[in-house]
Amino acid sequence: MRVRVATTALGITAALLALPACSTTTGNRHASAARAGKPSGSVPETIVLSSAALKSRLLDPSDLGSGYLPKPERPAQHDDVTVLGCPALSELGGDAATGGMLAFPHSAKAAFTYAGTSSEISEELYSDSARKLSDGIARIFDAMTGCPTYQVVAGGALVDVASQKLTAPGADGDQQWSQLLTFTAAGRSSVVKQTAIRDGNLLVIVSGSPALVDRHLDKALAKATATS
């Protein structure tokens, strides 16, 4: 079964990451009762932050350290992306066409390259009611767990995609997901780790080179949930 998804094509790997299924993560859910170690300065659960407020909570080069440069945002190019061999993603239908960001009204994103290498890291922040954030990401979680492997046709290139569920990182938050994505095309592979944490009315997603995600995840969560 095929589903055609209109997405922002920023190169093959970026186009794949623009798919909602790849913009979020899989993993374990943690009950609210597990928030005992939550910092006292965190965002109150009843507050929905504006996109402008979310933008101010994103990591910047001074947070990341030397060697990190903001990745320029390229002009949007709307190429059709075809997903093959994933009925769960097909069932999402038109809801899957989010243009690279999840369909929540308040969002912000930043991306960085590291020290002139191919290593990258990106952060996405979303704010909405806890229920909407949870339900929205759960739909993607269910689709991804149903499709550990599938193929994507983007810009005429066929790419094999494999997802591996990882153990949630155990950071503060109400729900957590983590997975490893492997993209293979023309004999070359690219590995991306993605970890998401929902903390009240805030969703933090950090994606990129596995080592960079592990290095900066806690920092991203702390800055995103701080009130000062």
Side-chain angles (χ1 to χ4, degrees), residues 5 15-26 83 86 88-90 92 95-98 101-102 137 139-145 147 150 152 161 163 179 181 183 194:
V5 182
L16 294 174
L17 294 178
L19 290 171
C22 299
S23 297
T24 61
T25 55
T26 64
V83 180
C86 186
L89 285 178
S90 297
L92 292 178
D95 291 339
T98 62
M101 297 286 280
L102 296 178
I137 199 169
R139 294 182 66 218
I140 306 303
F141 165 57
D142 291 339
M144 288 302 294
T145 54
C147 297
Y150 56 95
V152 171
V161 185
S163 62
Q179 74 171 353
L181 295 167
F183 305 100
Q194 297 180 310

Side-chain angles (χ1 to χ4, degrees), residues 99-156:
M101 297 286 280
L102 296 178
F104 297 116
H106 309 289
S107 63
K109 181 176 181 179
F112 305 88
T113 58
Y114 178 64
T117 70
S118 59
S119 297
E120 298 182 2
I121 186 170
S122 66
E123 179 187 12
E124 298 169 49
L125 297 180
Y126 301 93
S127 187
D128 208 327
S129 71
R131 180 174 180 177
K132 288 182 179 179
L133 290 176
S134 181
D135 289 349
I137 199 169
R139 294 182 66 218
I140 306 303
F141 165 57
D142 291 339
M144 288 302 294
T145 54
C147 297
T149 61
Y150 56 95
Q151 292 181 311
V152 171
V153 180

Side-chain angles (χ1 to χ4, degrees), residues 130-215:
R131 180 174 180 177
K132 288 182 179 179
L133 290 176
S134 181
D135 289 349
I137 199 169
R139 294 182 66 218
I140 306 303
F141 165 57
D142 291 339
M144 288 302 294
T145 54
C147 297
T149 61
Y150 56 95
Q151 292 181 311
V152 171
V153 180
L158 178 65
V159 184
D160 293 311
V161 185
S163 62
Q164 177 186 349
K165 181 178 177 180
L166 301 177
T167 302
D172 291 321
D174 297 313
Q175 294 178 286
Q176 302 181 26
W177 302 259
S178 190
Q179 74 171 353
L180 204 65
L181 295 167
T182 302
F183 305 100
T184 304
R188 300 181 63 183
S189 295
S190 176
V191 178
V192 174
K193 183 174 184 178
Q194 297 180 310
T195 297
I197 299 174
R198 183 187 68 79
D199 187 88
N201 290 359
L202 186 66
L203 180 64
V204 182
I205 302 175
V206 181
S207 308
S209 302
L212 298 187
V213 173
D214 291 342
R215 185 183 305 170

